[in-house]
Amino acid sequence: MDHDLIVVADWSAAAQPTPAKPSKDAIWVCADRRGAQEVRYFRTRHAAWGWIDALLDEGLRTLLGFDFAFGWPAGFAERLTGRAEALAVWDHLAARIEDAPDNSNDRFAVAAALNARFPGTGPFWGAPRPLEGLPQRDLRDGHGLPERRLVEAHAPSATPVWQLAYAGAVGSQALMGTAALARLRARRAVTVWPQETGFAVPDARVTVAEIYPSLFPPAPHAIRDAGQVMATAAALRAAPDTWFTEPRQVASEAVAREEGWILGVLPPSSCLALPAGRDWTPVAEVLADLRAGAAPATGSETVGLLDAAGRVLAGPVAARRANPPHPNSAVDGWGFAHATLAPGPIPVQPGRAAAGRPFEGAVAPGRALRILTGAALPEGVDTVALQEDATEAEGHLVLRGVPKRGANTRPAGEDVAAGDAVLPGGAVLRPQDLALAAAAGHGALEVRERLRVGVLSTGDEVTPPGADHGTADANRPMLLAMLAAWGLAPVDLGHVPDDPDALAAALTGGLPAILTTGGASDGDEDHLSRLMRARGTVRTWRVALKPGRPLMLADWGGTRVFGLPGNPVAAFTCAAWFARPALRAMAGAGWAEPRPLHVPAAFAKRRKPGRTELLRARLDARGRAEVFASEGSGRTSGLSWARGLVHLPPEGGDVGPGDLVDYVPFAELGL
């Protein structure tokens, strides 16, 4: 790129100065003057802006890159500001975010105020301490916005901008950084790519662009963050101007204005890690097609709470009664009417109130009654003194100090009021949900009938588990157990040989869905694929996934068929990645894709672009993702060894030790 000066900044949203000694997870800035690099560490954003301003004062043609998102997913800007433009959000934030010279700032309060502008809960989440309107954990629901920008489908390991705190979070940097860039635009002539230029080569003296240092292997440096900004600056220096223009192959000018783009993220090249001469369907397209066609396919029934665990609620549940139903005591102690007490010892009224054994009658003014935890407050009691703060002698009570009115009591409906919504329709009932339903007055719930899903193994070579010949049918017991773990009703359809008539008969049973294994490719004995093309409806065939390319999604009459590969590893990953979210939606529980953790890699891997990869993995003692020694899809031992999957996106790019990767624990896959 023909710029005299390229400045690359690795930003931070820290709320206090970072350590005096140069460290990671802080601000690093590299200035590249025609290949001569200078890299600096800054403890505060104020100090970093001072140096960047001095660089811009030199009057050189400058490309200034920052590693935070310049935009948000589609719909956010327009619903917040009335304009589908990221720069309108920049100005909105600049008017509200306070960023002091010592790094103290109010970004979480601003994010909570932004959330209040949207329905439901969210879209922002991740508060390090309780804050009204900003969930600490990802409990978002109903805010109506996409999770990711378009560019993040093309960038490896990109994290959604909604997360503000905890490992891998980038949302805070975007809030703080774009507010600061808005102030920069107010005092200097700068042009923002692509929000102001579209996907064209900018001709401004100073161009500001979003960058992503993880795209490039870091340069040698004791601190990785410094090496990354150095490598990014060098990559931009060597890059052609087509880096500005190539994104228009997959993104519109409207995307440029609203969501923005990462400079250096390009459409997939023609050098793909897939066999040539065939059409391969990207994983994202397969999931989108499944989601569009996955409507609830079950009726409903009423079951008692003792049988409701793991079932899917057929509709929302409201409280039939308040919890607690009556005002009650929060402690063991003595109850009285606060306003009626006279100075000195308090006469004790005979009797007591206990949970389940209420006091009959009223407590006289100026008197105290023995009361135990959970007991309904009798008439004439509005305050309870702790038993350890009181002494009873000769029918009188002496208090160490009179508590304030209402102390140690709980009002009726403190937890839930009658009529409150307590559980949403489509919820998969957990033990804690059953407790809430019971507390809200329910003894039974209307739930979806369990979705019946068949499992069928195919192939002449397949033999029953335990046989001493042939290929053991490892897939059928595995898939039946997976369906049971997902709360579905597995139906064992057994095994059929390589016989198209026998296969057709096994498929024709009226089940809503069937998982088959084997026969989904295009070999001489791949009868499933030929049968579906001849007599069924093929929706997807050949997916750009490793392992799992021979994956067929088809319809056989009214049955959704998931034609899984025959190798157990590929069958497992395809079932978990594709069948689970679709079957979950068909069962009435809604669509849900796994949420990855962003962890350092403990492995190295060279990759070409073109297909998604799912590697068997687990976390080591240092929290890094290590992968199984072999990628062979017949190595079933790797499934037992693993505790999750590393998800590598189709854009390719080499992975080295320490690089952040997406790790999906099996728990996120319902296993």
Side-chain angles (χ1 to χ4, degrees):
M1 292 182 179
D2 187 23
H3 288 81
D4 301 307
L5 174 64
I6 295 177
V7 181
V8 172
D10 182 351
W11 213 239
S12 168
Q16 59 188 8
T18 52
K21 181 179 179 181
S23 61
K24 64 178 183 178
D25 298 328
I27 297 175
W28 288 89
V29 183
C30 177
D32 183 305
R33 294 178 175 84
R34 292 290 179 184
Q37 292 191 345
E38 178 182 9
V39 64
R40 292 196 184 187
Y41 166 82
F42 297 94
R43 302 184 63 198
T44 67
R45 290 178 292 277
H46 185 78
W49 277 118
W51 193 54
I52 292 171
D53 269 329
L55 293 173
L56 297 180
D57 283 340
E58 295 178 16
L60 303 175
R61 185 163 186 261
T62 302
L63 174 62
L64 178 57
F66 288 87
D67 73 332
F68 48 78
F70 279 20
W72 290 263
F76 177 75
E78 184 169 15
R79 289 171 61 180
L80 179 66
T81 70
R83 295 159 50 197
E85 299 173 10
L87 298 186
V89 181
W90 291 22
D91 294 336
H92 183 93
L93 294 173
R96 289 160 177 81
I97 284 182
E98 297 180 3
D99 191 8
D102 64 353
N103 267 3
S104 60
N105 62 79
D106 60 348
R107 67 186 188 275
F108 295 113
V110 171
L114 294 177
N115 277 353
R117 304 284 292 272
F118 295 86
T121 303
F124 293 98
W125 70 278
R129 59 187 180 280
L131 180 63
E132 183 176 356
L134 184 65
Q136 288 187 274
R137 299 296 176 186
D138 191 0
L139 303 174
R140 299 169 298 157
D141 182 64
H143 57 78
L145 293 172
E147 186 67 1
R148 293 178 178 272
R149 300 181 293 161
L150 176 62
V151 67
E152 290 157 4
H154 298 270
S157 303
T159 303
V161 295
W162 306 126
Q163 182 181 347
L164 303 182
Y166 315 121
V170 297
S172 285
Q173 289 95 316
L175 293 180
M176 301 298 298
T178 53
L181 286 179
R183 299 181 188 115
L184 175 68
R185 294 179 68 238
R187 68 178 187 270
R188 288 186 178 275
V190 300
T191 297
V192 183
W193 178 91
Q195 280 83 352
E196 292 183 293
T197 65
F199 295 115
V201 179
D203 59 0
R205 187 177 65 82
V206 178
T207 300
V208 184
E210 178 183 346
I211 49 92
Y212 189 21
S214 295
L215 291 173
F216 314 105
H221 196 281
I223 296 176
R224 180 181 178 81
D225 299 8
Q228 285 189 316
V229 294
M230 295 166 65
T232 303
L236 295 175
R237 172 66 65 198
D241 282 346
T242 53
W243 277 23
F244 290 112
T245 60
E246 286 190 26
R248 63 163 55 108
Q249 297 178 31
V250 294
S252 66
E253 298 297 305
V255 168
R257 288 191 302 273
E258 183 177 11
E259 297 185 25
W261 201 265
I262 299 170
L263 186 58
V265 172
L266 308 176
S269 72
S270 59
C271 181
L272 303 178
L274 288 166
R278 296 181 175 182
D279 294 326
W280 299 94
T281 307
V283 168
E285 288 187 20
V286 177
L287 290 171
D289 179 68
L290 284 171
R291 184 170 189 172
T298 59
S300 64
E301 60 182 342
T302 299
V303 300
L305 287 189
L306 298 182
D307 298 315
R311 301 298 295 272
V312 178
L313 274 178
V317 174
R320 295 180 62 247
R321 67 173 190 177
N323 182 45
H326 308 287
N328 66 89
S329 177
V331 299
D332 290 346
W334 299 87
F336 45 81
H338 190 277
T340 68
L341 294 185
I346 306 168
V348 174
Q349 183 158 332
R352 74 170 190 171
R357 295 184 179 181
F359 179 75
E360 299 294 340
V363 176
R367 291 178 173 261
L369 178 76
R370 178 65 170 158
I371 190 167
L372 303 181
T373 302
L377 298 184
E379 182 181 347
V381 171
D382 61 13
T383 304
V384 176
L386 290 165
Q387 66 179 17
E388 53 264 38
D389 291 339
T391 303
E392 182 191 13
E394 298 180 356
H396 285 76
L397 191 69
V398 177
L399 299 179
R400 295 181 183 176
V402 178
K404 66 181 181 179
R405 185 177 184 274
N408 303 312
T409 66
R410 295 180 290 214
E414 178 187 47
D415 180 26
V416 172
D420 280 356
V422 291
L423 293 170
V428 179
L429 290 167
R430 306 165 299 167
Q432 53 269 45
D433 299 325
L434 302 182
L436 176 58
H442 292 274
L445 294 170
E446 186 179 3
V447 298
R448 291 275 184 181
E449 295 173 344
R450 293 189 188 274
L451 182 73
R452 299 177 70 238
V453 182
V455 175
L456 176 67
S457 294
T458 72
D460 289 342
E461 75 282 8
V462 175
T463 56
D468 57 4
H469 65 283
T471 300
D473 189 354
N475 287 325
R476 192 153 48 95
M478 174 183 71
L479 293 171
L480 289 167
M482 292 171 75
L483 294 174
W486 296 335
L488 308 176
V491 179
D492 187 358
L493 298 178
H495 162 259
V496 295
D498 289 322
D499 180 330
D501 293 333
L503 177 58
L507 294 172
T508 308
L511 292 173
I514 295 176
L515 307 183
T516 69
T517 54
S521 190
D522 55 1
D524 291 344
E525 297 299 330
D526 286 313
H527 296 290
L528 177 70
S529 58
R530 286 200 294 277
L531 182 67
M532 287 298 160
R533 289 197 300 273
R535 297 169 54 184
T537 302
V538 176
R539 301 173 64 92
T540 299
W541 190 34
R542 299 193 184 110
V543 177
L545 174 70
K546 178 183 179 182
R549 287 196 309 230
L551 170 69
M552 172 174 286
L553 305 177
D555 293 321
W556 179 261
T559 299
R560 173 60 58 90
V561 177
F562 297 82
L564 306 176
N567 284 321
V569 175
F572 176 91
T573 54
C574 286
W577 212 259
F578 298 112
R580 177 179 179 261
L583 295 175
R584 174 188 167 95
M586 293 174 68
W591 183 270
E593 295 180 30
R595 296 170 298 182
L597 303 174
H598 305 292
V599 302
F603 63 94
K605 181 177 176 60
R606 298 186 66 85
R607 300 185 67 232
K608 293 181 180 179
R611 63 176 169 178
T612 298
E613 295 188 57
L614 298 173
L615 309 178
R616 287 153 286 174
R618 65 185 183 187
L619 299 183
D620 65 15
R622 296 170 57 187
R624 304 175 305 170
E626 55 181 352
V627 298
F628 190 58
S630 170
E631 295 182 15
S633 59
R635 295 285 297 273
T636 312
S637 60
L639 289 176
S640 180
W641 171 90
R643 295 296 180 268
L645 300 171
V646 163
H647 169 253
L648 300 178
E651 293 76 25
D654 296 345
V655 177
D659 289 346
L660 287 179
V661 294
D662 285 352
Y663 172 74
V664 179
F666 283 154
E668 275 291 309
L669 298 169
L671 302 171

